[in-house]
Amino acid sequence: MTTRVHAFCDDALGDLDSVGVAAAVAAGHISAREAAEAAVARARQLNPALNAIQTPDFERGLAASDTPAAGILSGVPSFVKDNTAVAGLPTDQGSLAVRSRPAAADAPFTEQFRSTGLGVLGKTTMPEFGWNASAEWATLPPTRNPWHTDYSPGGSSGGAAALVASGVVPIAHANDGGGSIRIPAAACGLVGLKPTRDRVVPAAEASSMPVDVVSNGVVTRSVRDTAHFIAGTQQFRPAAGMKPLGLVEGPSDRRLRVGVVLDSVTGAPTDDDTRAAVLATVDRLTALGHDVVTVPIPGDAVRFMGAFKHYWSLLAFSSHHFGKQAMHSPDFDKSLTDPLTRGLARSFVRNAWRTPGAVRTLKRSEQVYRDAFTDVDVILSPTLGYVTPLLGHLNPSVDFPVLFQRLVEYAAFTPLNNASGSPAISLPLEQTADGRPIGVHFSAVHGDEQTLLEIAYELEADRPFARIQD
């Protein structure tokens, strides 16, 4: 029997999204303090069932809500993921090996996040260093999916997605180095936009990466929340070198040419439920007047996936062997890293000679990806290779070769956007027979978040997203 949990009730937050909360605060119907108090009460009620909060910071968050920052979402309570610095809080990267000291200052992205008016009530859970696509640990209780608590919430932004889907807050920070915004959005029935590389302030670790694969963003319950957030970030720092992005407020009259990809770069077939979700979306797009055509996977899929897997291992090796420097954690103890991190690090050591070729392949993927849009406006695909699994399926204690293959097949569709730096969005368009969300994925050419948001608005209006409280 499905175990569904949520915190929606008749309090200051009600069932409002972020735009609704900000409007209520601006109109004086509620105060930012009342919104924050409602979120804290919801968090205290629900977190024992979800395990989605890494570090609560309720008292400081409540105090700050008395004078909320100005911004497009002023007065809305939220959380930041545990891999991004918040002044006064540790940044433990979801790992028992890290014992970080409270950050002296906000990360640059945290400043941008706050500039939209969002308040911070603490930090959310994530799997160790973000390597896993499920918020699980070898020796600690997992974060649970509020739609069905026996199932994974996805990862790595699993805690953020669980809090937003369950109604604790309407919006939360997430970031994406291989799908970590879009994967939990798909698993938890949310909107998850991975922006174009450098659309928002880069992650702190970006400058040390041979290929910057990480983008910051949010997970939300409505398209307009995502649109307002990304517009707000541009007021803080407009993105250089790409088309300006203002506030996208609804669908476009323009009809699109949509390319469809059903099977992933791994060669593993997409599962029946996920395949059916994409085909149902094709039918909806066709009925709405869009031109839908089948297109091939961009570029050499086998070579790309091999390169990305190696790069994944390289980053894990760096965290495992240089954790004191990389995590700014003088007490870092690599013997406490989990089996997935250690397995990835060993894989890198065995294949270190592949590094120059892998980096070249990933850097070339930007042009390969751009070339795929010569005849289509967007590409439609599954977000995931299969619907979100039961907890344990992706636990880091699973034998490494088995786990790694499961992860590669699960997260097969999302990494190309990270390597190429392109934007993509997961939308909660379908469900399994027992009511678990299925995400459907749209990708666009670099800098074209506007088209992604417009098609998202259109599909949301055509059939509103399922609500956990119904």
Side-chain angles (χ1 to χ4, degrees):
M1 183 166 181
T2 299
T3 304
R4 183 178 293 191
V5 297
H6 68 79
F8 290 101
C9 61
D10 187 19
D11 60 9
L13 293 176
D15 62 358
L16 297 172
D17 65 359
S18 298
V19 174
V21 173
V25 171
H29 300 315
I30 62 171
S31 67
R33 176 80 182 212
E34 288 170 327
E37 287 174 342
V40 168
R42 291 180 178 200
R44 286 176 169 150
Q45 170 203 340
L46 218 57
N47 195 56
L50 294 178
N51 187 36
I53 299 173
Q54 175 71 20
T55 307
D57 195 24
F58 297 156
E59 296 310 314
R60 287 202 311 162
L62 289 170
S65 71
D66 289 332
T67 53
I72 199 166
L73 296 174
S74 181
V76 178
S78 189
F79 285 81
V80 171
K81 189 174 172 183
D82 188 36
N83 60 1
T84 301
V86 172
L89 298 182
T91 305
D92 288 338
Q93 303 280 345
S95 175
L96 293 173
V98 178
R99 289 292 180 269
S100 67
R101 294 163 187 173
D106 285 344
F109 173 76
T110 305
E111 294 178 359
Q112 187 175 41
F113 184 82
R114 291 191 198 267
S115 78
T116 66
L118 293 170
V120 177
L121 294 176
K123 303 187 84 172
T124 57
T125 56
M126 57 178 285
E128 183 168 271
F129 307 129
W131 307 140
N132 203 342
S134 184
E136 298 183 54
W137 301 268
T139 60
L140 297 174
T143 298
R144 296 181 178 274
N145 190 323
W147 286 85
H148 193 315
T149 54
D150 291 339
Y151 284 80
S152 168
S156 63
S157 307
L163 292 179
V164 174
S166 64
V168 171
V169 287
I171 187 170
H173 167 233
N175 48 31
D176 193 317
S180 291
I181 292 173
R182 294 159 289 158
I183 292 167
C188 291
L190 302 174
V191 177
L193 172 69
K194 177 217 153 313
T196 304
R197 182 162 46 219
D198 293 332
R199 170 66 75 186
V200 303
V201 173
E205 62 271 28
S207 61
S208 63
M209 289 182 171
V211 181
D212 177 13
V213 295
V214 179
S215 292
N216 280 294
V218 290
V219 286
T220 69
R221 297 193 299 267
S222 68
V223 176
R224 70 176 188 171
D225 274 6
T226 295
H228 277 70
F229 174 79
I230 199 72
T233 67
Q234 302 307 283
Q235 294 170 10
F236 177 83
R237 191 213 70 168
M242 63 185 84
K243 182 174 72 173
L245 179 66
L247 177 58
V248 182
E249 297 189 80
S252 170
D253 293 332
R254 181 169 67 113
R255 298 299 85 186
L256 303 177
R257 185 168 172 84
V258 181
V260 180
V261 173
L262 278 171
D263 292 312
S264 75
V265 298
T266 67
T270 304
D271 78 349
D272 291 344
D273 282 343
T274 302
R275 194 178 191 90
V278 176
L279 293 173
T281 304
V282 168
D283 290 343
R284 289 175 64 188
L285 291 168
T286 302
L288 290 166
H290 299 283
D291 180 22
V292 184
V293 296
T294 301
V295 296
I297 298 169
D300 185 333
V302 174
R303 174 174 292 182
F304 172 80
M305 203 61 197
F308 195 87
K309 286 161 63 178
H310 182 73
Y311 195 65
W312 194 349
S313 299
L314 164 63
L315 296 179
F317 172 84
S318 297
S319 296
H320 186 250
H321 285 270
F322 305 109
K324 289 185 179 183
Q325 298 87 348
M327 310 299 162
H328 306 288
S329 174
D331 300 321
F332 179 83
D333 184 351
K334 70 178 182 180
S335 71
L336 297 178
T337 56
D338 72 21
L340 175 57
T341 297
R342 296 196 297 271
L344 287 166
R346 288 193 302 270
S347 177
F348 171 76
V349 170
R350 289 194 298 269
N351 297 282
W353 60 275
R354 297 182 183 273
T355 302
V359 170
R360 283 195 301 271
T361 296
L362 297 184
K363 287 184 174 180
R364 280 198 299 263
S365 70
E366 179 172 347
Q367 189 57 53
V368 170
Y369 180 91
R370 288 181 185 273
D371 292 344
F373 286 84
T374 56
D375 194 41
V376 296
D377 299 300
V378 294
I379 292 177
L380 164 67
S381 73
T383 305
L384 298 168
Y386 50 92
V387 295
T388 192
L390 285 163
L391 289 165
H393 181 76
L394 298 177
N395 190 280
S397 61
V398 172
D399 186 55
F400 175 74
V402 174
L403 174 59
F404 196 41
Q405 186 60 32
R406 289 175 178 176
L407 285 169
V408 168
E409 292 177 1
Y410 185 55
F413 290 95
T414 51
L416 180 57
N417 302 100
N418 298 91
S420 66
S422 55
I425 193 168
S426 181
L427 300 174
L429 298 184
E430 299 292 334
Q431 290 184 294
T432 62
D434 65 351
R436 286 176 290 125
I438 301 175
V440 177
H441 192 257
F442 289 87
S443 302
V445 77
H446 298 72
D448 197 14
E449 287 89 348
Q450 179 172 337
T451 296
L452 294 178
L453 290 167
E454 288 171 346
I455 193 64
Y457 270 120
E458 185 171 9
L459 289 165
E460 183 184 34
D462 178 60
R463 191 177 74 207
F465 304 146
R467 306 193 318 163
I468 198 170
Q469 64 268 45
D470 291 341

